[in-house]
Amino acid sequence: MKKYQNFIGGKWVDAKSGDVFENRNPANWSEVVGTFPKSGREDVDEAVRAACSAFDRWRLVPVPQRGDILRRVGDLLSARKEELARLMTREMGKVLIETRGDVQEGIDTAYYAAGESRRLFGRTAPSELPKKFAMAIRVPVGVAGVVTPWNFPMAIPTWKIFPALLCGDTVVFKPASDTPATATALVEILLEAGIPEGVINIVHGGGSDVGMAIVEHPDVDLVSFTGSTPVGKKISAAAAVTLKRVALELGGKNAQLVMEDADLDLALDGVLWGAFGTTGQRCTATSRLVLHEKIYDTFMNMLVARTKKLRLGDGLSEDTDVGPVINEPQRKAIHQYVEIGVGEGADLVLGGKIATGDGLKNGWFYQPTIFGGVRPEMRIAKEEIFGPVLGVIKVKSLQEGVAVLNDTIYGLSSAIYTRDINKAFEAIRDIKAGITYVNAPTIGAEAHMPFGGVKQTGNGHREGGWTVYDFFTEWKTVYVDYSGRIQKAQIDTYHQ
Ligand code: UN1
């Protein structure tokens, strides 16, 4: 069993308190992946100090040089992809093809950042006055607090940390306490690629101890957080005290709409992947399936038959389709939602129980679960469950389907299956979500495209693609007057 440490100011260190916590394999909880420092406010203070002093040097490194380091990060992640995927499966359970995909998102994000290093463009504009030059350039913001979840332990940290570093910000990183080993491996790779001391710092521990200390720290200039909507609201309120810039990627209640003209086999593959991939633990997971009444019965039969065949097990086995959920409290929360659904009168057509078959007893497994006859006003249709639970709703038309899709406080991802181009475009126009897929599942965002949602899924920022670079830089407007005399904007006019 490995004993892990924090990395602060260029040194691997224990928590000042000396306390540790364990990280266990959710497929086999007798296996301890490692112990990690249970840090607190004083560890965060030190990391912020280190990040502040490193910022003075890092901001002066030319952006293409920072990009070269990130390209090496991409190379190292590629070389270690399989090893990292296996470590990730051991600490959070999802199947190997998915953890490989998670590392691949990090690789893609690294190479994208390296490319962006020669394209961190500003703007020039004509001045109102003669012999005067106007431009706006991007400058780094300062110290970035990065607080990340356990469901994408590599991809999500890279979405935040790589753009931050490329832009010249320094980082204090608090990964989820369920996935600290993958996060530590990422930091080791950043160091091996040449990120200088103090520029990247990692502090392990809980959200209320370490995460909130980062958010409240007056010398942290911005915070990027992915997690639940209730925690996002707390962060937003706490960050308001210092008027910190905050990017929040929060919950979802994503739906797949299947019209009567859809390719049903394709739509079936889509919903199985969207609802039960990552054991339903994605903010983009399909948790509602909205079916046109003409295909409802046929599609339900197809869905139940295929879901029954999904094989639960340890994600390290190539035969497994669905791994465990992350931990016991999460499994309890999922089961509570199933009880709520039954109580609300939804029709439990499959699953709904803790899975206890062969090889499942020592892990946090839950049966893939389907509710039929769900109505939009039920809690299981409105609240994020974050587990392998799918609610199916029947509708009569495209308009009703879109209204059901929109009937939620969230607005991250959405999907429509139809062969009718007119219906597809109407749905693109009317669905209130940050992402709409046509004939593809609600999961599968690509690293070079904006990622984020509307309503209570976030606070208007986008990760991914070119858009994330707006978050990690400030615009600085520069005027150069080469007239040699005082020129007064808006007063000296030359066009009467
Ligand atoms: C998340 O669940 O927080 O589109 C992110 C997807 C993945 C990212 C999910 N590429 O499902």
Side-chain angles (χ1 to χ4, degrees), residues 105 149 151-152 155-156 159 226 249-250 278 281-285 386 412-413 435 437 442-447 451:
E105 264 189 78
N151 65 337
F152 278 81
I156 291 179
W159 290 1
T226 299
E249 287 299 340
L250 309 174
T278 326
Q281 303 170 111
R282 294 194 188 209
C283 55
T284 52
F386 226 68
L412 182 54
S413 188
I435 308 168
Y437 291 91
T442 60
I443 67 178
E446 301 183 22
F451 181 89

Short mmCIF file of all heavy atoms in Angstrom, two decimals, residues 105 149 151-152 155-156 159 226 249-250 278 281-285 386 412-413 435 437 442-447 451, ligand 1:
data_model
loop_
_atom_site.label_atom_id
_atom_site.label_comp_id
_atom_site.label_asym_id
_atom_site.label_seq_id
_atom_site.Cartn_x
_atom_site.Cartn_y
_atom_site.Cartn_z
N GLU A 105 -8.99 11.91 -23.05
CA GLU A 105 -9.48 13.31 -23.00
C GLU A 105 -8.41 14.24 -22.48
O GLU A 105 -8.27 15.38 -22.94
CB GLU A 105 -10.73 13.41 -22.11
CG GLU A 105 -12.02 13.34 -22.89
CD GLU A 105 -13.26 13.67 -22.07
OE1 GLU A 105 -13.54 14.85 -21.81
OE2 GLU A 105 -13.96 12.71 -21.71
N PRO A 149 -14.15 16.56 -9.39
CA PRO A 149 -14.91 15.41 -8.91
C PRO A 149 -14.21 14.08 -9.21
O PRO A 149 -13.18 14.05 -9.88
CB PRO A 149 -16.20 15.53 -9.72
CG PRO A 149 -15.74 16.07 -11.03
CD PRO A 149 -14.57 16.97 -10.74
N ASN A 151 -15.66 11.43 -10.90
CA ASN A 151 -16.18 10.60 -12.01
C ASN A 151 -15.33 10.68 -13.27
O ASN A 151 -15.32 9.75 -14.07
CB ASN A 151 -17.64 10.96 -12.31
CG ASN A 151 -17.83 12.36 -12.82
OD1 ASN A 151 -17.00 13.23 -12.58
ND2 ASN A 151 -18.91 12.58 -13.53
N PHE A 152 -14.61 11.79 -13.44
CA PHE A 152 -13.61 11.91 -14.52
C PHE A 152 -12.31 12.40 -13.89
O PHE A 152 -11.92 13.55 -14.02
CB PHE A 152 -14.10 12.85 -15.63
CG PHE A 152 -15.01 12.15 -16.59
CD1 PHE A 152 -16.35 11.97 -16.29
CD2 PHE A 152 -14.53 11.63 -17.78
CE1 PHE A 152 -17.20 11.29 -17.14
CE2 PHE A 152 -15.36 10.95 -18.65
CZ PHE A 152 -16.70 10.78 -18.33
N ALA A 155 -9.71 13.54 -16.85
CA ALA A 155 -10.17 14.49 -17.86
C ALA A 155 -10.52 15.84 -17.25
O ALA A 155 -10.04 16.89 -17.72
CB ALA A 155 -11.37 13.91 -18.60
N ILE A 156 -11.33 15.84 -16.20
CA ILE A 156 -11.81 17.13 -15.68
C ILE A 156 -10.67 17.97 -15.09
O ILE A 156 -10.57 19.16 -15.40
CB ILE A 156 -13.01 16.93 -14.73
CG1 ILE A 156 -14.22 16.44 -15.56
CG2 ILE A 156 -13.35 18.22 -13.99
CD1 ILE A 156 -15.48 16.16 -14.77
N TRP A 159 -8.98 19.57 -18.01
CA TRP A 159 -9.77 20.65 -18.64
C TRP A 159 -9.50 21.99 -17.97
O TRP A 159 -9.67 23.04 -18.56
CB TRP A 159 -11.28 20.39 -18.48
CG TRP A 159 -11.85 19.27 -19.25
CD1 TRP A 159 -11.20 18.40 -20.09
CD2 TRP A 159 -13.22 18.87 -19.24
NE1 TRP A 159 -12.09 17.50 -20.59
CE2 TRP A 159 -13.32 17.75 -20.09
CE3 TRP A 159 -14.35 19.34 -18.58
CZ2 TRP A 159 -14.54 17.10 -20.31
CZ3 TRP A 159 -15.55 18.69 -18.80
CH2 TRP A 159 -15.64 17.58 -19.66
N THR A 226 -16.06 21.57 -10.54
CA THR A 226 -17.07 20.68 -11.12
C THR A 226 -17.60 19.80 -10.01
O THR A 226 -16.81 19.19 -9.27
CB THR A 226 -16.47 19.82 -12.24
OG1 THR A 226 -15.99 20.67 -13.28
CG2 THR A 226 -17.51 18.86 -12.82
N GLU A 249 -19.37 23.99 -12.97
CA GLU A 249 -19.97 22.97 -13.83
C GLU A 249 -20.72 22.02 -12.91
O GLU A 249 -20.09 21.25 -12.18
CB GLU A 249 -18.89 22.17 -14.58
CG GLU A 249 -18.22 22.93 -15.69
CD GLU A 249 -19.18 23.36 -16.77
OE1 GLU A 249 -20.28 22.77 -16.89
OE2 GLU A 249 -18.85 24.31 -17.49
N LEU A 250 -22.05 22.06 -12.94
CA LEU A 250 -22.79 21.38 -11.87
C LEU A 250 -23.67 20.26 -12.43
O LEU A 250 -23.32 19.61 -13.40
CB LEU A 250 -23.57 22.43 -11.09
CG LEU A 250 -22.70 23.62 -10.62
CD1 LEU A 250 -23.53 24.71 -9.99
CD2 LEU A 250 -21.61 23.16 -9.67
N THR A 278 -20.35 4.54 -17.29
CA THR A 278 -19.86 5.15 -16.04
C THR A 278 -20.86 4.89 -14.90
O THR A 278 -20.96 5.66 -13.95
CB THR A 278 -19.61 6.67 -16.20
OG1 THR A 278 -19.15 6.93 -17.53
CG2 THR A 278 -18.55 7.20 -15.25
N GLN A 281 -22.90 7.65 -13.65
CA GLN A 281 -22.31 8.70 -12.79
C GLN A 281 -21.60 9.77 -13.62
O GLN A 281 -20.41 10.03 -13.44
CB GLN A 281 -21.34 8.06 -11.80
CG GLN A 281 -21.99 6.98 -10.95
CD GLN A 281 -20.97 6.19 -10.15
OE1 GLN A 281 -20.91 6.28 -8.95
NE2 GLN A 281 -20.14 5.43 -10.85
N ARG A 282 -22.31 10.32 -14.56
CA ARG A 282 -21.77 11.46 -15.32
C ARG A 282 -22.73 12.61 -15.16
O ARG A 282 -23.94 12.40 -15.06
CB ARG A 282 -21.73 11.16 -16.83
CG ARG A 282 -20.79 10.08 -17.22
CD ARG A 282 -20.60 10.13 -18.74
NE ARG A 282 -19.85 8.97 -19.18
CZ ARG A 282 -19.05 8.95 -20.24
NH1 ARG A 282 -18.93 10.03 -20.99
NH2 ARG A 282 -18.39 7.87 -20.57
N CYS A 283 -22.19 13.82 -15.22
CA CYS A 283 -23.13 14.95 -15.22
C CYS A 283 -23.88 14.99 -16.54
O CYS A 283 -24.93 15.61 -16.63
CB CYS A 283 -22.44 16.26 -14.90
SG CYS A 283 -21.07 16.60 -15.96
N THR A 284 -23.35 14.29 -17.55
CA THR A 284 -24.03 14.23 -18.85
C THR A 284 -24.86 12.95 -19.02
O THR A 284 -25.38 12.69 -20.10
CB THR A 284 -23.00 14.28 -19.99
OG1 THR A 284 -22.02 13.26 -19.74
CG2 THR A 284 -22.32 15.63 -20.09
N ALA A 285 -24.97 12.14 -17.98
CA ALA A 285 -25.66 10.84 -18.12
C ALA A 285 -27.11 11.03 -18.55
O ALA A 285 -27.76 12.01 -18.20
CB ALA A 285 -25.63 10.11 -16.78
N PHE A 386 -27.50 10.47 -10.19
CA PHE A 386 -26.08 10.13 -10.32
C PHE A 386 -25.83 8.65 -10.05
O PHE A 386 -25.02 8.27 -9.20
CB PHE A 386 -25.22 11.01 -9.41
CG PHE A 386 -24.01 11.55 -10.10
CD1 PHE A 386 -24.13 12.47 -11.12
CD2 PHE A 386 -22.73 11.11 -9.76
CE1 PHE A 386 -23.02 12.96 -11.79
CE2 PHE A 386 -21.60 11.59 -10.42
CZ PHE A 386 -21.75 12.53 -11.44
N LEU A 412 -27.79 20.73 -19.01
CA LEU A 412 -26.46 20.40 -19.53
C LEU A 412 -26.55 19.76 -20.91
O LEU A 412 -26.32 20.40 -21.92
CB LEU A 412 -25.69 19.51 -18.55
CG LEU A 412 -24.28 19.14 -18.99
CD1 LEU A 412 -23.45 20.37 -19.33
CD2 LEU A 412 -23.55 18.32 -17.94
N SER A 413 -26.94 18.47 -20.96
CA SER A 413 -26.90 17.77 -22.24
C SER A 413 -28.29 17.28 -22.62
O SER A 413 -29.20 17.23 -21.79
CB SER A 413 -25.93 16.59 -22.16
OG SER A 413 -25.74 16.04 -23.43
N ILE A 435 -25.72 21.54 -24.49
CA ILE A 435 -25.28 20.60 -25.52
C ILE A 435 -26.51 19.84 -26.04
O ILE A 435 -27.32 19.35 -25.24
CB ILE A 435 -24.27 19.55 -24.96
CG1 ILE A 435 -23.11 20.25 -24.24
CG2 ILE A 435 -23.75 18.65 -26.07
CD1 ILE A 435 -22.23 19.30 -23.43
N TYR A 437 -27.35 16.71 -28.84
CA TYR A 437 -26.88 15.70 -29.79
C TYR A 437 -28.03 15.28 -30.69
O TYR A 437 -29.16 15.11 -30.20
CB TYR A 437 -26.40 14.45 -29.07
CG TYR A 437 -25.12 14.62 -28.27
CD1 TYR A 437 -25.16 14.99 -26.92
CD2 TYR A 437 -23.87 14.40 -28.85
CE1 TYR A 437 -23.99 15.12 -26.19
CE2 TYR A 437 -22.70 14.52 -28.10
CZ TYR A 437 -22.77 14.89 -26.78
OH TYR A 437 -21.61 15.01 -26.05
N THR A 442 -26.38 11.32 -24.92
CA THR A 442 -26.13 12.59 -24.21
C THR A 442 -24.70 12.70 -23.70
O THR A 442 -24.33 13.74 -23.18
CB THR A 442 -27.08 12.75 -22.99
OG1 THR A 442 -26.85 11.65 -22.09
CG2 THR A 442 -28.54 12.77 -23.40
N ILE A 443 -23.93 11.63 -23.82
CA ILE A 443 -22.53 11.69 -23.37
C ILE A 443 -21.61 11.63 -24.59
O ILE A 443 -22.01 11.14 -25.64
CB ILE A 443 -22.20 10.55 -22.38
CG1 ILE A 443 -22.25 9.17 -23.05
CG2 ILE A 443 -23.15 10.58 -21.20
CD1 ILE A 443 -21.87 8.04 -22.09
N GLY A 444 -20.44 12.18 -24.45
CA GLY A 444 -19.48 12.11 -25.55
C GLY A 444 -18.96 13.45 -26.01
O GLY A 444 -18.59 13.63 -27.18
N ALA A 445 -18.89 14.41 -25.09
CA ALA A 445 -18.38 15.74 -25.43
C ALA A 445 -16.91 15.64 -25.85
O ALA A 445 -16.16 14.83 -25.32
CB ALA A 445 -18.51 16.66 -24.22
N GLU A 446 -16.50 16.46 -26.80
CA GLU A 446 -15.13 16.43 -27.30
C GLU A 446 -14.33 17.60 -26.74
O GLU A 446 -14.87 18.68 -26.53
CB GLU A 446 -15.15 16.43 -28.83
CG GLU A 446 -15.93 15.23 -29.35
CD GLU A 446 -15.95 15.10 -30.87
OE1 GLU A 446 -15.06 15.65 -31.53
OE2 GLU A 446 -16.87 14.44 -31.36
N ALA A 447 -13.03 17.34 -26.56
CA ALA A 447 -12.18 18.27 -25.80
C ALA A 447 -12.04 19.65 -26.45
O ALA A 447 -11.78 20.62 -25.76
CB ALA A 447 -10.79 17.67 -25.60
N PHE A 451 -17.94 23.19 -23.41
CA PHE A 451 -18.67 22.23 -22.56
C PHE A 451 -19.25 22.98 -21.37
O PHE A 451 -18.53 23.62 -20.61
CB PHE A 451 -17.73 21.13 -22.07
CG PHE A 451 -18.41 20.11 -21.21
CD1 PHE A 451 -18.99 18.99 -21.78
CD2 PHE A 451 -18.49 20.26 -19.83
CE1 PHE A 451 -19.65 18.04 -20.98
CE2 PHE A 451 -19.13 19.32 -19.03
CZ PHE A 451 -19.71 18.21 -19.62
C1 UN1 B 1 -18.90 14.85 -16.56
O1 UN1 B 1 -19.70 13.93 -16.45
O2 UN1 B 1 -18.68 15.59 -15.58
O3 UN1 B 1 -19.36 14.10 -22.49
C2 UN1 B 1 -18.11 15.12 -17.77
C3 UN1 B 1 -19.04 13.33 -21.60
C4 UN1 B 1 -17.62 13.32 -21.11
C5 UN1 B 1 -17.43 14.32 -20.02
C6 UN1 B 1 -18.39 14.17 -18.89
N1 UN1 B 1 -16.72 13.58 -22.20
O4 UN1 B 1 -19.84 12.58 -21.07
#
